[in-house]
Structures are given as C-alpha cells and as structure tokens.
Amino acid sequence: MITHYTYTAREAGGSRVAGQIVARNAEEALSVLQETGICVTSIQPVPLGRAKGISGRVVLSVQERSVLLESWAYLLDSCLSMPAALTCLHTSAPQPSVRRALQEIQQLIRVGMTLSEAVDAGGLVPPSWAALLEVGERRGGFIEPLLALHKHGE
C-alpha cells in the first residue's frame, strides 16, 4: 500500500527542509530521502484523507514548460532511460519548484505509479497534458507526446 509521509530534514549546509513523500513504507521513504543527500530528522505518515498532491501545481510559463518537455523528449530520443532523463532534467532545472516536482515524480514511479500518474500528482503539467502522456504509455512511447505538448506550448 502506498502511503504519504511528511518529513523534516537538514540539508548538507544545515538548512532545514520539510516536505512530503509517497512510499510503500517509512523505511522506503527514508531510503529515498537519504539518496537525495538530506538528513531526515522526523518522518510521519499523513492521516488518510489529509494527504494532498505532493507539490501542488508547479508555476511555469507555457514557454518554460514547453522547453522542459522538449528537453525531456530529446533526452529520451538520445536513448537515455526514463530514470536517467528525469535525473538530467532534475539536475539542470533552474527553478527549485521544478527540481522538487521532478524528484517527486521519480519517487512516485519508484513506488509503482505510472509516468502519467506521477507527472499529474507532481503538478508539473496540467491534467490534460498528463492524459496525453498516458496515451504515450499505452502506445509504448513518450517522445511523440512530449514533442506534441512542446509544440502546443509554442
């Protein structure tokens, strides 16, 4: 069963961070968070009915979102795996909100969500765009839907 957890932690520089993560259990949540290089100080399950979208919607202009989707498509087209492409996007994203959303998408995929479900939950694209990614999942390819979304944003 997938559960939402809230956590507080310290970054390497000592600054305090807090957030939510989705995982099968607390141990998995801790492991995923530790992989990001933070030191978790507390983690608690979110009571049923109180869990909300992980990040909320990420505020990006249509052009910024379009560039992100185009970059994602090109990374996949260059034969990177989905996890490697998401890591590259996460590393190069200039906005902290985008980096958090991409990290959460990776976590949601690790615990069993499909890409379209994770993208929708992570708030990176509007629900209608996530639906188009779902079509890509069913057809077995993401490059074409990502490029179509990119062109829609131009």
Side-chain angles (χ1 to χ4, degrees):
M1 182 171 133
I2 296 175
T3 304
H4 286 76
Y5 294 91
T6 58
Y7 66 89
T8 56
R10 297 264 179 205
E11 293 181 319
S15 59
R16 185 179 177 276
V17 294
Q20 286 191 11
I21 185 170
V22 177
R24 288 185 199 109
N25 53 52
E27 292 78 23
E28 181 179 68
L30 280 170
S31 175
V32 169
L33 290 167
Q34 289 170 342
E35 286 176 18
T36 68
I38 62 174
C39 179
V40 177
T41 55
S42 73
I43 188 162
Q44 299 291 324
V46 176
L48 243 81
R50 302 204 57 201
K52 42 186 175 165
I54 303 298
S55 291
R57 291 282 159 212
V58 176
V59 179
L60 290 174
S61 71
V62 173
Q63 183 181 7
E64 290 170 321
R65 190 170 278 130
S66 176
V67 168
L68 177 69
L69 294 171
E70 180 184 37
S71 299
W72 196 352
Y74 289 145
L75 288 168
L76 292 173
D77 195 38
S78 68
C79 296
L80 282 180
S81 67
M82 184 63 73
L86 286 167
T87 298
C88 285
L89 290 170
H90 173 264
T91 304
S92 63
Q95 303 97 331
S97 61
V98 174
R99 287 193 301 274
R100 280 192 301 275
L102 289 165
Q103 181 180 11
E104 290 161 0
I105 289 166
Q106 289 175 302
Q107 293 167 353
L108 293 168
I109 291 169
R110 276 190 210 124
V111 298
M113 280 192 177
T114 66
L115 177 67
S116 61
E117 292 168 337
V119 168
D120 188 38
L124 195 57
V125 297
S128 59
W129 291 24
L132 186 57
L133 290 175
E134 184 179 2
V135 170
E137 284 173 329
R138 292 180 184 192
R139 292 177 64 199
F142 292 102
I143 296 167
E144 198 173 298
L146 287 169
L147 289 174
L149 290 171
H150 157 69
K151 287 180 182 172
H152 174 74
E154 286 185 317

